[in-house]
Amino acid sequence: MTNRFTPAALLRATASLLLAAALSGPALAAEKLKVGFVYVGPVGDAGWTFEHDEGRKEMEAALGGQVETSYVESVSEGADSQRVIRQLAQSHDLVFTTSFGYMNPTLKVAQSFPKVAFMHATGYKRAKNVGTYSARFYEGRYLTGVIAGHMTKSNVIGYVAAFPIPEVVQGINAFTLGLRSVNPKAEVKVVWVNTWYDPAKEREAAEALIAQGADIINQHTDSPAPVQAAEEKGVYAFGYDSDMTAFGPRAHLTGSVVHWGGFYTQTAKAVLDGSWKADDTWGGIAADMVKMAPYNSAIPKAVVEQVEGIKASIVDGSFHPFQGPIKDQQGKVVVPEGTTMSDGEILSFNWYVEGVQGELPK
Amino acid sequence: MDIDLITNILFAMVRTGTPLLLVALGELVCEKSGVLNLGQEGMMLMGAMAGFGVAFTTGNLWFGVAAGIFVGMLMSLLFGFLALNLNANQVASGLALTIFGAGLSAFMGSGFVGKPLSGMEAWVIPVLSDLPLIGKALFAQDPLVYLSFILFGAVFLVIYHSRPGLILKAVGESPESAVAVGLSVMRVRYLAVLFGGAMAGLAGAYLSLAYTPLWSDNMTAGRGWIALALVVFASWRVGRVLLGAYLFGAASIMHLVMQGLGVSVSSNLLATLPYLATILVLVLLSSNQARIKLFAPMSLGKPFHKTQ
């Protein structure tokens, strides 16, 4: 069952729920697990919030009659969020807050609701009843790099990047390592647009890169504008976050897509059987939290097979995208053969690997 | 830089400058009549949303363009009612219009987020588009860019070489005198406000139908505000609006192109170029205070009571 909540409806629902609880007493306690979601954007048909909502629906489908979910969309990351989280906490057993900016509000509200389980996406602060979770997007990025290595003719790949923060640098590096594992001559040109979302600017960045010889465009921004630009200019592109095939049916090769459904189902199950703990989950392909968008038929079969092979070795743990030897831009080996970067090192990337052109803005 | 690169930069410059040119021309006419409408961003967003929505639903891009213009005019009508009929504070009414437009477009457009639309195709004019350097920039664009050229010419002719242009300026400079010679200040200002709305709506539709054929919240990303600065930058002159729009376009392109060329300048610094350019020009202009005063329409932003 789904309730679409506006703040007013939320208030009404909360009130009626309290009333029902008062009337029927403890009999209600054994009822369905109530799970609330706080979204930063509108659900729409693509992007970050859309994928969270897909996850919510998948959990509902998987757990059938055992859960009941509701969500509040377009909650800005300021003071509003604390109010919304508080209201959800009053009538729910498990609350997912799905944006980085909800970190402190979630922790604050959680203090007053010790019996409610909270899960905060992409944050780093935890508490007794606040767990965190995120996805290892870089695993998917590595695989797109391998595909790019085979598909490029000009050996120049353009990368439209949002802000020079570790999360984005991590993606550039993983992509470049994948790219050069099959094509050591290929290089990555990065253009920083200094915004997560400005379709016009993202498009101009993609076109500037294409004009400078890039025949594949990758992106770490949120709009499908770079894919559109690639489609129009007759080059290839990788989407991000959600499947962007519709915006460039010919250009869109595949993309690293985030998938929360399995994780949401597991978490709800854990709360139901009492085994839930407030820990951190950073899952990748193996945890089914990162998936690949459908492969374009332009990718040769052998390449798809190779990529699927690497994917399998990431899943069984025999391969890690950030395992040595990894060289920096000056050609110096930073991660020696036989060692793998730790999660802490991956999460604090502030240097480019060999094969990325230009300097990382400081 | 090789010649192809410069050709491409000029091409991108015109395209990036076009939405700014359209809104700024509309705002210029509006301000010439003495009305300051800060609602450009809101009208643009509504135009972008309506344009995309109608084009997506009907499958006809031109219906979308018409819808964008129409919705922009509706929005400006609302502003006109507040600012002209009720004599509300123009700055406050304009700001309210922007906030209202941003919220309403996000609400009404939520069903269109992430929907694909094949955008407007370029009309490549044979022979002329092969001219070196400028051929591609001027003759291989989409139809709305050509429309912006035509609108620029029309606004230029009307303001500097026509009787309606004189009336417009008279109303903006001295509404009292205009009334004295039998002109209807209200009618002229309403027409100017409506024109401003139509242009903002068109600029929005350009973004969502031609430039990046998609709809999403706040997709104008502050271009309405840049256009307001542009009118001051142009010191209320039509020709300079064109120059300024393309200069802004070029500045925001250069920041991306230079990175691609591997020029190691801070990208954050480069991203501020368009704004630095504005400040620079404002400083240069205001070095002579009298000049600014001379160029701004004298009654700009002041409500007018006919009974005076």
Side-chain angles (χ1 to χ4, degrees), chain A residues 42 44-46 189-194 197-201 203-205 207-208 211-212 224-225 228 233 246-247 359 361, chain B residues 5 8 12 15-16 111 113-116 211-214 216-217 219 221 223 253 255-257 259-261 264 267-268 271:
Chain A
D45 286 304
K189 247 183 217 241
V190 183
V191 164
W192 299 96
V193 288
N194 298 305
Y197 190 87
D198 179 345
K201 206 162 199 186
R203 185 186 174 115
E204 281 309 334
E207 295 202 346
Q212 287 168 30
Q228 280 184 334
K233 298 281 172 187
F247 292 92
E359 269 176 63
Chain B
L5 187 60
N8 281 323
R15 251 188 13 181
T16 315
V113 178
K115 295 266 195 286
Y211 197 107
T212 50
L214 58 94
S216 173
D217 297 7
M219 65 177 295
R223 285 175 180 77
I253 298 303
H255 128 70
L256 303 168
V257 173
Q259 285 188 57
L261 288 174
S264 69
S267 64
N268 291 306

Side-chain angles (χ1 to χ4, degrees), chain B residues 126-187:
Chain B
V127 186
L128 285 175
S129 61
D130 294 332
L131 288 173
L133 286 179
I134 54 159
K136 201 176 162 200
L138 298 181
F139 304 107
Q141 299 277 11
D142 56 75
L144 291 184
V145 173
Y146 300 134
L147 182 62
S148 76
F149 296 159
I150 295 169
L151 285 165
F152 167 77
V155 169
F156 189 90
L157 286 177
V158 167
I159 288 193
Y160 297 122
H161 300 285
S162 81
R163 195 176 139 75
L166 279 175
I167 294 174
L168 179 75
K169 282 180 282 184
V171 167
E173 293 299 333
S174 170
E176 293 82 5
S177 324
V179 167
V181 296
L183 296 171
S184 166
V185 172
M186 190 64 109
R187 212 177 85 195

Side-chain angles (χ1 to χ4, degrees), chain A residues 199-224:
Chain A
K201 206 162 199 186
E202 291 169 48
R203 185 186 174 115
E204 281 309 334
E207 295 202 346
L209 286 161
I210 295 166
Q212 287 168 30
D215 64 354
I216 298 179
I217 295 294
N218 200 345
Q219 68 177 90
H220 197 142
T221 48
D222 288 340
S223 94

